[in-house]
Amino acid sequence: NAGVTQTPKFQVLKTGQSMTLQCAQDMNHNSMYWYRQDPGMGLRLIYYSASEGTTDKGEVPNGYNVSRLNKREFSLRLESAAPSQTSVYFCASGPRAGNTEAFFGQGTRLTVV
Amino acid sequence: AQSVTQLGSHVSVSEGALVLLRCNYSSSVPPYLFWYVQYPNQGLQLLLKYTSAATLVKGINGFEAEFKKSETSFHLTKPSAHMSDAAEYFCAVRGDNNNDMRFGAGTRLTVKP
């Protein structure tokens, strides 16, 4: 069972470079999420997608864009990376809202220099 | 919007001692609450969830949590700590009509021999 797969696992970018973080799930979930994790701040929601074709901003969307390519895939793009975007990024997926939990990928550790 | 607050960024206990990790929620609707655990360099794993069926919820690895509406709390406990419990623990909340999931800042649990 692959679950939620994120690529790449590690990435170093120079300030101003762009990149896309990929996420795919094989659990037929409707909802998908992108979080960033920073020390002392827990996980903060960047964007989420309640269903294929829809996306919504979370707590910290500035500097990011997302695409829900299909039901399986939800990508996160940094158009012009900044050192403040150095973080660990987690993708998650889950069934419809309510009493259902989210399932997490293993994370992408991104460093912007 | 719903939110959770975790009291104490670090908790240290001796092996065999009681573990108590605190979480208070803020929600305008009856919440769905979750506890996750994160081991070093890994993603998040669900420990347990409250879905209104019972106020005392049992999870994996001997953990349990009690939902107290009067105190807006959902504290995580384990009667006897084990070295393998050392990890970071996150409380999360989702309201029924809101698809996103919000996390607390996390509590790092250290278990001393």
Side-chain angles (χ1 to χ4, degrees), chain B residues 7-62:
Chain B
L7 301 176
S9 58
H10 291 90
V11 170
S12 181
V13 301
S14 296
E15 192 172 19
L18 171 72
V19 175
L20 171 61
L21 305 182
R22 300 177 187 272
C23 174
N24 288 88
Y25 69 90
S26 171
S27 176
S28 58
V29 297
Y32 295 110
L33 294 159
F34 306 82
W35 274 101
Y36 283 84
V37 60
Q38 184 183 33
Y39 298 103
N41 299 313
Q42 294 190 22
L44 277 73
Q45 176 185 0
L46 182 73
L47 272 178
L48 50 80
K49 61 182 180 182
Y50 168 71
T51 61
S52 76
T55 56
L56 183 63
V57 182
K58 295 187 183 299
I60 63 172
N61 302 338

Side-chain angles (χ1 to χ4, degrees), chain B residues 14 31 34 37 40 64 73 84 97 104:
Chain B
S14 296
F34 306 82
V37 60
E64 61 182 37
S73 69
S84 61
N97 293 324

Side-chain angles (χ1 to χ4, degrees), chain A residues 45-112:
Chain A
L45 183 64
I46 304 172
Y47 273 93
Y48 66 98
S49 171
S51 61
E52 186 178 354
T54 68
T55 60
D56 287 283
K57 294 179 180 179
E59 303 169 83
V60 289
N62 291 344
Y64 305 95
N65 286 300
V66 290
S67 295
R68 184 74 183 266
L69 304 170
N70 48 55
K71 193 171 186 179
R72 290 187 65 249
E73 299 172 288
F74 189 39
S75 63
L76 178 72
R77 183 162 178 84
L78 287 70
E79 291 291 351
S80 178
S84 61
Q85 294 178 304
T86 293
S87 187
V88 180
Y89 291 84
F90 285 98
C91 178
S93 72
R96 292 198 183 279
N99 65 349
T100 54
E101 67 268 30
F103 296 80
F104 283 79
Q106 292 299 296
T108 295
R109 187 173 295 274
L110 175 67
T111 302
V112 183

Side-chain angles (χ1 to χ4, degrees), chain A residues 21-42:
Chain A
L21 280 64
Q22 306 286 353
C23 176
Q25 54 94 5
D26 63 1
M27 295 174 282
N28 200 35
H29 288 159
N30 287 306
S31 303
M32 296 187 74
Y33 312 86
W34 276 106
Y35 292 89
R36 60 177 289 173
Q37 183 178 21
D38 302 291
M41 305 190 76

